[in-house]
Amino acid sequence: MNLKCRTFFSPDMARYVLFTENVLSHMYSHAQRKMFQTEAGGEIYSPTPFYSSLVVDDVAGPHLRDRRSRCSFNPDVEAATQVRYAKYEQGRHAVGLWHTHPERQPSPSGTDKSTTEDYLRAFKSDRERYLQVIIGNCGAVPAMTVWSAEKCGNWLRWDERCD
C-alpha cells in the first residue's frame, strides 16, 4: 500500500477521492490507539470540489473547544466555520468531514450520518455529495473508510484501490 496517498472510488467507479500524505498524517495522528484517547475530527478540503476526481490536500481539526469523549465528537461550530472561511480564501473548499472511531473497522453511526446530511443540506444546490471519512484504531496504517451522503438521499461506501 502506498503510504504517501490513499485513493477511494465510488461504487460505480465514476468518481474517486485521493488523500495526500499530509492529510493522512494529520488524521492518523489522532487515531484512538489507547483506551484514554478521545475521538477527534474536523473537515477535509479540496481545490476542485466539483470535479469527479477529488484531491483532498488540506485538513482541519480538532479544535480546542470541541467536545470529545471516547465514543463521541462534537465540533466547535464557530471555530470550524472560521477555518472554513479561511480555507476558502486560500482556494480550498470543504468536501467532507473526518473523525476517529475506537474500533478496528469503522463505520458511520446514526449521528455521523445525520451530521453529514446536515452539512450537505447547508450547501444547498452547491454540492451533490458530502464525504464522511472515519479513521479506525488498528494497523500500522490505520483502517480508513470513506462514505458519501448523496443529494438523492443515498449513502454510499467508497472502496479503496491500492493498484
Side-chain angles (χ1 to χ4, degrees):
M1 178 179 298
N2 183 349
L3 300 180
K4 295 188 186 272
C5 65
R6 289 176 84 171
T7 307
F8 292 78
F9 287 83
S10 61
D12 62 4
M13 301 292 285
R15 295 176 304 283
Y16 72 85
V17 58
L18 180 141
F19 296 88
T20 61
E21 183 177 16
N22 67 308
V23 169
L24 294 170
S25 259
H26 181 81
M27 294 187 301
Y28 294 166
S29 74
H30 296 283
Q32 295 175 260
R33 297 191 183 273
K34 298 192 173 28
M35 287 302 292
F36 64 85
Q37 290 177 295
T38 59
E39 285 193 10
E43 285 184 279
I44 56 174
Y45 298 89
S46 174
T48 57
F50 307 108
Y51 291 18
S52 61
S53 55
L54 286 178
V55 174
V56 173
D57 66 356
D58 209 347
V59 62
H63 303 288
L64 289 176
R65 291 187 311 269
D66 291 343
R67 292 184 320 277
R68 299 165 55 187
S69 73
R70 178 75 178 152
C71 296
S72 71
F73 165 74
N74 293 295
D76 175 345
V77 174
E78 184 179 318
T81 300
Q82 289 174 356
V83 169
R84 191 176 319 107
Y85 288 140
K87 297 285 186 190
Y88 182 78
E89 292 297 318
Q90 298 166 7
R92 297 297 177 272
H93 303 264
V95 294
L97 303 168
W98 76 272
H99 72 289
T100 62
H101 268 197
E103 59 187 344
R104 296 172 72 81
Q105 293 300 321
S107 61
S109 67
T111 301
D112 295 340
K113 287 183 175 184
S114 177
T115 301
T116 307
E117 290 165 358
D118 288 346
Y119 272 77
L120 178 60
R121 276 192 295 278
F123 279 103
K124 300 191 182 349
S125 62
D126 195 38
R127 296 279 190 283
E128 290 298 313
R129 68 197 44 80
Y130 209 66
L131 299 175
Q132 175 64 256
V133 178
I134 308 173
I135 303 298
N137 67 354
C138 74
V141 175
M144 178 174 165
T145 57
V146 176
W147 304 77
S148 62
E150 303 287 320
K151 195 73 143 186
C152 64
N154 291 337
W155 267 84
L156 303 175
R157 180 175 178 159
W158 294 45
D159 293 318
E160 185 167 20
R161 296 288 191 255
C162 304
D163 301 337

